[in-house]
mmCIF file with all atom_site columns, all heavy atoms in Angstrom:
data_model
loop_
_atom_site.group_PDB
_atom_site.id
_atom_site.type_symbol
_atom_site.label_atom_id
_atom_site.label_alt_id
_atom_site.label_comp_id
_atom_site.label_asym_id
_atom_site.label_entity_id
_atom_site.label_seq_id
_atom_site.pdbx_PDB_ins_code
_atom_site.Cartn_x
_atom_site.Cartn_y
_atom_site.Cartn_z
_atom_site.occupancy
_atom_site.B_iso_or_equiv
_atom_site.pdbx_formal_charge
_atom_site.auth_seq_id
_atom_site.auth_comp_id
_atom_site.auth_asym_id
_atom_site.auth_atom_id
_atom_site.pdbx_PDB_model_num
ATOM 1   N N   . GLN A 1 196 ? 118.645 81.825  122.319 1.00 0.00 ? 196 GLN A N   1
ATOM 2   C CA  . GLN A 1 196 ? 118.575 81.214  123.589 1.00 0.00 ? 196 GLN A CA  1
ATOM 3   C C   . GLN A 1 196 ? 117.213 81.435  124.339 1.00 0.00 ? 196 GLN A C   1
ATOM 4   O O   . GLN A 1 196 ? 117.035 80.907  125.469 1.00 0.00 ? 196 GLN A O   1
ATOM 5   C CB  . GLN A 1 196 ? 119.664 81.826  124.509 1.00 0.00 ? 196 GLN A CB  1
ATOM 6   C CG  . GLN A 1 196 ? 121.034 81.650  123.876 1.00 0.00 ? 196 GLN A CG  1
ATOM 7   C CD  . GLN A 1 196 ? 122.152 82.223  124.738 1.00 0.00 ? 196 GLN A CD  1
ATOM 8   O OE1 . GLN A 1 196 ? 122.119 82.124  125.957 1.00 0.00 ? 196 GLN A OE1 1
ATOM 9   N NE2 . GLN A 1 196 ? 123.162 82.903  124.161 1.00 0.00 ? 196 GLN A NE2 1
ATOM 10  N N   . GLY A 1 197 ? 116.329 82.136  123.767 1.00 0.00 ? 197 GLY A N   1
ATOM 11  C CA  . GLY A 1 197 ? 114.971 82.232  124.288 1.00 0.00 ? 197 GLY A CA  1
ATOM 12  C C   . GLY A 1 197 ? 114.705 83.655  124.886 1.00 0.00 ? 197 GLY A C   1
ATOM 13  O O   . GLY A 1 197 ? 115.731 84.285  125.400 1.00 0.00 ? 197 GLY A O   1
ATOM 14  N N   . ARG A 1 198 ? 113.524 84.034  124.950 1.00 0.00 ? 198 ARG A N   1
ATOM 15  C CA  . ARG A 1 198 ? 113.138 85.323  125.376 1.00 0.00 ? 198 ARG A CA  1
ATOM 16  C C   . ARG A 1 198 ? 113.508 85.678  126.886 1.00 0.00 ? 198 ARG A C   1
ATOM 17  O O   . ARG A 1 198 ? 114.026 86.715  127.246 1.00 0.00 ? 198 ARG A O   1
ATOM 18  C CB  . ARG A 1 198 ? 111.646 85.581  125.152 1.00 0.00 ? 198 ARG A CB  1
ATOM 19  C CG  . ARG A 1 198 ? 111.170 86.939  125.663 1.00 0.00 ? 198 ARG A CG  1
ATOM 20  C CD  . ARG A 1 198 ? 109.660 87.069  125.630 1.00 0.00 ? 198 ARG A CD  1
ATOM 21  N NE  . ARG A 1 198 ? 109.200 88.406  126.179 1.00 0.00 ? 198 ARG A NE  1
ATOM 22  C CZ  . ARG A 1 198 ? 109.248 88.657  127.497 1.00 0.00 ? 198 ARG A CZ  1
ATOM 23  N NH1 . ARG A 1 198 ? 109.597 87.761  128.341 1.00 0.00 ? 198 ARG A NH1 1
ATOM 24  N NH2 . ARG A 1 198 ? 108.801 89.851  127.927 1.00 0.00 ? 198 ARG A NH2 1
ATOM 25  N N   . SER A 1 199 ? 113.084 84.665  127.738 1.00 0.00 ? 199 SER A N   1
ATOM 26  C CA  . SER A 1 199 ? 113.263 84.876  129.134 1.00 0.00 ? 199 SER A CA  1
ATOM 27  C C   . SER A 1 199 ? 114.692 85.089  129.533 1.00 0.00 ? 199 SER A C   1
ATOM 28  O O   . SER A 1 199 ? 114.974 86.010  130.252 1.00 0.00 ? 199 SER A O   1
ATOM 29  C CB  . SER A 1 199 ? 112.784 83.566  129.898 1.00 0.00 ? 199 SER A CB  1
ATOM 30  O OG  . SER A 1 199 ? 112.888 83.838  131.276 1.00 0.00 ? 199 SER A OG  1
ATOM 31  N N   . LYS A 1 200 ? 115.658 84.355  128.972 1.00 0.00 ? 200 LYS A N   1
ATOM 32  C CA  . LYS A 1 200 ? 117.035 84.517  129.329 1.00 0.00 ? 200 LYS A CA  1
ATOM 33  C C   . LYS A 1 200 ? 117.537 85.866  128.750 1.00 0.00 ? 200 LYS A C   1
ATOM 34  O O   . LYS A 1 200 ? 118.363 86.533  129.519 1.00 0.00 ? 200 LYS A O   1
ATOM 35  C CB  . LYS A 1 200 ? 117.805 83.385  128.648 1.00 0.00 ? 200 LYS A CB  1
ATOM 36  C CG  . LYS A 1 200 ? 119.356 83.443  129.042 1.00 0.00 ? 200 LYS A CG  1
ATOM 37  C CD  . LYS A 1 200 ? 120.104 82.132  128.595 1.00 0.00 ? 200 LYS A CD  1
ATOM 38  C CE  . LYS A 1 200 ? 121.546 82.174  128.987 1.00 0.00 ? 200 LYS A CE  1
ATOM 39  N NZ  . LYS A 1 200 ? 122.179 81.004  128.534 1.00 0.00 ? 200 LYS A NZ  1
ATOM 40  N N   . ALA A 1 201 ? 117.142 86.231  127.640 1.00 0.00 ? 201 ALA A N   1
ATOM 41  C CA  . ALA A 1 201 ? 117.544 87.482  127.013 1.00 0.00 ? 201 ALA A CA  1
ATOM 42  C C   . ALA A 1 201 ? 117.040 88.667  127.777 1.00 0.00 ? 201 ALA A C   1
ATOM 43  O O   . ALA A 1 201 ? 117.822 89.651  127.959 1.00 0.00 ? 201 ALA A O   1
ATOM 44  C CB  . ALA A 1 201 ? 117.207 87.533  125.534 1.00 0.00 ? 201 ALA A CB  1
ATOM 45  N N   . MET A 1 202 ? 115.797 88.607  128.210 1.00 0.00 ? 202 MET A N   1
ATOM 46  C CA  . MET A 1 202 ? 115.216 89.734  129.005 1.00 0.00 ? 202 MET A CA  1
ATOM 47  C C   . MET A 1 202 ? 115.869 89.996  130.307 1.00 0.00 ? 202 MET A C   1
ATOM 48  O O   . MET A 1 202 ? 116.196 91.074  130.779 1.00 0.00 ? 202 MET A O   1
ATOM 49  C CB  . MET A 1 202 ? 113.730 89.543  129.128 1.00 0.00 ? 202 MET A CB  1
ATOM 50  C CG  . MET A 1 202 ? 112.938 89.787  127.816 1.00 0.00 ? 202 MET A CG  1
ATOM 51  S SD  . MET A 1 202 ? 113.009 91.443  127.241 1.00 0.00 ? 202 MET A SD  1
ATOM 52  C CE  . MET A 1 202 ? 112.446 91.181  125.550 1.00 0.00 ? 202 MET A CE  1
ATOM 53  N N   . LYS A 1 203 ? 116.198 88.776  131.001 1.00 0.00 ? 203 LYS A N   1
ATOM 54  C CA  . LYS A 1 203 ? 116.884 88.921  132.301 1.00 0.00 ? 203 LYS A CA  1
ATOM 55  C C   . LYS A 1 203 ? 118.261 89.436  132.086 1.00 0.00 ? 203 LYS A C   1
ATOM 56  O O   . LYS A 1 203 ? 118.706 90.307  132.835 1.00 0.00 ? 203 LYS A O   1
ATOM 57  C CB  . LYS A 1 203 ? 116.928 87.505  132.894 1.00 0.00 ? 203 LYS A CB  1
ATOM 58  C CG  . LYS A 1 203 ? 115.588 87.039  133.389 1.00 0.00 ? 203 LYS A CG  1
ATOM 59  C CD  . LYS A 1 203 ? 115.734 85.565  133.980 1.00 0.00 ? 203 LYS A CD  1
ATOM 60  C CE  . LYS A 1 203 ? 114.366 85.113  134.419 1.00 0.00 ? 203 LYS A CE  1
ATOM 61  N NZ  . LYS A 1 203 ? 114.481 83.660  134.966 1.00 0.00 ? 203 LYS A NZ  1
ATOM 62  N N   . ALA A 1 204 ? 118.997 89.005  131.037 1.00 0.00 ? 204 ALA A N   1
ATOM 63  C CA  . ALA A 1 204 ? 120.340 89.529  130.800 1.00 0.00 ? 204 ALA A CA  1
ATOM 64  C C   . ALA A 1 204 ? 120.338 90.994  130.410 1.00 0.00 ? 204 ALA A C   1
ATOM 65  O O   . ALA A 1 204 ? 121.165 91.766  130.793 1.00 0.00 ? 204 ALA A O   1
ATOM 66  C CB  . ALA A 1 204 ? 120.998 88.698  129.731 1.00 0.00 ? 204 ALA A CB  1
ATOM 67  N N   . PHE A 1 205 ? 119.319 91.363  129.655 1.00 0.00 ? 205 PHE A N   1
ATOM 68  C CA  . PHE A 1 205 ? 119.190 92.807  129.186 1.00 0.00 ? 205 PHE A CA  1
ATOM 69  C C   . PHE A 1 205 ? 118.893 93.695  130.470 1.00 0.00 ? 205 PHE A C   1
ATOM 70  O O   . PHE A 1 205 ? 119.529 94.806  130.600 1.00 0.00 ? 205 PHE A O   1
ATOM 71  C CB  . PHE A 1 205 ? 118.125 92.901  128.200 1.00 0.00 ? 205 PHE A CB  1
ATOM 72  C CG  . PHE A 1 205 ? 117.893 94.359  127.691 1.00 0.00 ? 205 PHE A CG  1
ATOM 73  C CD1 . PHE A 1 205 ? 118.867 94.989  126.924 1.00 0.00 ? 205 PHE A CD1 1
ATOM 74  C CD2 . PHE A 1 205 ? 116.687 95.030  127.858 1.00 0.00 ? 205 PHE A CD2 1
ATOM 75  C CE1 . PHE A 1 205 ? 118.694 96.272  126.451 1.00 0.00 ? 205 PHE A CE1 1
ATOM 76  C CE2 . PHE A 1 205 ? 116.502 96.274  127.406 1.00 0.00 ? 205 PHE A CE2 1
ATOM 77  C CZ  . PHE A 1 205 ? 117.432 96.897  126.751 1.00 0.00 ? 205 PHE A CZ  1
ATOM 78  N N   . ARG A 1 206 ? 117.986 93.235  131.314 1.00 0.00 ? 206 ARG A N   1
ATOM 79  C CA  . ARG A 1 206 ? 117.732 94.081  132.478 1.00 0.00 ? 206 ARG A CA  1
ATOM 80  C C   . ARG A 1 206 ? 118.903 94.201  133.353 1.00 0.00 ? 206 ARG A C   1
ATOM 81  O O   . ARG A 1 206 ? 119.212 95.259  133.904 1.00 0.00 ? 206 ARG A O   1
ATOM 82  C CB  . ARG A 1 206 ? 116.548 93.398  133.205 1.00 0.00 ? 206 ARG A CB  1
ATOM 83  C CG  . ARG A 1 206 ? 115.984 94.275  134.348 1.00 0.00 ? 206 ARG A CG  1
ATOM 84  C CD  . ARG A 1 206 ? 114.767 93.641  135.038 1.00 0.00 ? 206 ARG A CD  1
ATOM 85  N NE  . ARG A 1 206 ? 113.553 93.526  134.146 1.00 0.00 ? 206 ARG A NE  1
ATOM 86  C CZ  . ARG A 1 206 ? 112.756 94.497  133.882 1.00 0.00 ? 206 ARG A CZ  1
ATOM 87  N NH1 . ARG A 1 206 ? 112.888 95.679  134.553 1.00 0.00 ? 206 ARG A NH1 1
ATOM 88  N NH2 . ARG A 1 206 ? 111.738 94.313  133.141 1.00 0.00 ? 206 ARG A NH2 1
ATOM 89  N N   . LEU A 1 207 ? 119.675 93.073  133.537 1.00 0.00 ? 207 LEU A N   1
ATOM 90  C CA  . LEU A 1 207 ? 120.945 93.123  134.310 1.00 0.00 ? 207 LEU A CA  1
ATOM 91  C C   . LEU A 1 207 ? 121.950 94.057  133.703 1.00 0.00 ? 207 LEU A C   1
ATOM 92  O O   . LEU A 1 207 ? 122.610 94.892  134.415 1.00 0.00 ? 207 LEU A O   1
ATOM 93  C CB  . LEU A 1 207 ? 121.534 91.713  134.435 1.00 0.00 ? 207 LEU A CB  1
ATOM 94  C CG  . LEU A 1 207 ? 122.744 91.666  135.227 1.00 0.00 ? 207 LEU A CG  1
ATOM 95  C CD1 . LEU A 1 207 ? 122.621 92.042  136.640 1.00 0.00 ? 207 LEU A CD1 1
ATOM 96  C CD2 . LEU A 1 207 ? 123.348 90.163  135.171 1.00 0.00 ? 207 LEU A CD2 1
ATOM 97  N N   . TRP A 1 208 ? 122.090 94.003  132.340 1.00 0.00 ? 208 TRP A N   1
ATOM 98  C CA  . TRP A 1 208 ? 122.963 94.978  131.688 1.00 0.00 ? 208 TRP A CA  1
ATOM 99  C C   . TRP A 1 208 ? 122.595 96.420  131.928 1.00 0.00 ? 208 TRP A C   1
ATOM 100 O O   . TRP A 1 208 ? 123.436 97.216  132.136 1.00 0.00 ? 208 TRP A O   1
ATOM 101 C CB  . TRP A 1 208 ? 122.952 94.651  130.126 1.00 0.00 ? 208 TRP A CB  1
ATOM 102 C CG  . TRP A 1 208 ? 123.961 95.485  129.291 1.00 0.00 ? 208 TRP A CG  1
ATOM 103 C CD1 . TRP A 1 208 ? 125.101 95.100  129.006 1.00 0.00 ? 208 TRP A CD1 1
ATOM 104 C CD2 . TRP A 1 208 ? 123.763 96.778  128.886 1.00 0.00 ? 208 TRP A CD2 1
ATOM 105 N NE1 . TRP A 1 208 ? 125.841 96.088  128.244 1.00 0.00 ? 208 TRP A NE1 1
ATOM 106 C CE2 . TRP A 1 208 ? 124.938 97.146  128.144 1.00 0.00 ? 208 TRP A CE2 1
ATOM 107 C CE3 . TRP A 1 208 ? 122.615 97.685  128.855 1.00 0.00 ? 208 TRP A CE3 1
ATOM 108 C CZ2 . TRP A 1 208 ? 125.084 98.441  127.497 1.00 0.00 ? 208 TRP A CZ2 1
ATOM 109 C CZ3 . TRP A 1 208 ? 122.911 98.945  128.214 1.00 0.00 ? 208 TRP A CZ3 1
ATOM 110 C CH2 . TRP A 1 208 ? 124.034 99.251  127.560 1.00 0.00 ? 208 TRP A CH2 1
ATOM 111 N N   . MET A 1 209 ? 121.279 96.692  131.851 1.00 0.00 ? 209 MET A N   1
ATOM 112 C CA  . MET A 1 209 ? 120.790 98.049  132.038 1.00 0.00 ? 209 MET A CA  1
ATOM 113 C C   . MET A 1 209 ? 121.085 98.518  133.523 1.00 0.00 ? 209 MET A C   1
ATOM 114 O O   . MET A 1 209 ? 121.630 99.602  133.780 1.00 0.00 ? 209 MET A O   1
ATOM 115 C CB  . MET A 1 209 ? 119.280 98.137  131.819 1.00 0.00 ? 209 MET A CB  1
ATOM 116 C CG  . MET A 1 209 ? 118.904 98.158  130.408 1.00 0.00 ? 209 MET A CG  1
ATOM 117 S SD  . MET A 1 209 ? 119.427 99.615  129.626 1.00 0.00 ? 209 MET A SD  1
ATOM 118 C CE  . MET A 1 209 ? 118.596 100.909 130.550 1.00 0.00 ? 209 MET A CE  1
#
Side-chain angles (χ1 to χ4, degrees):
Q196 302 180 40
R198 178 192 177 281
S199 179
K200 185 173 183 178
M202 288 296 164
K203 289 178 181 177
F205 181 64
R206 191 177 292 275
L207 179 61
W208 185 94
M209 285 294 300

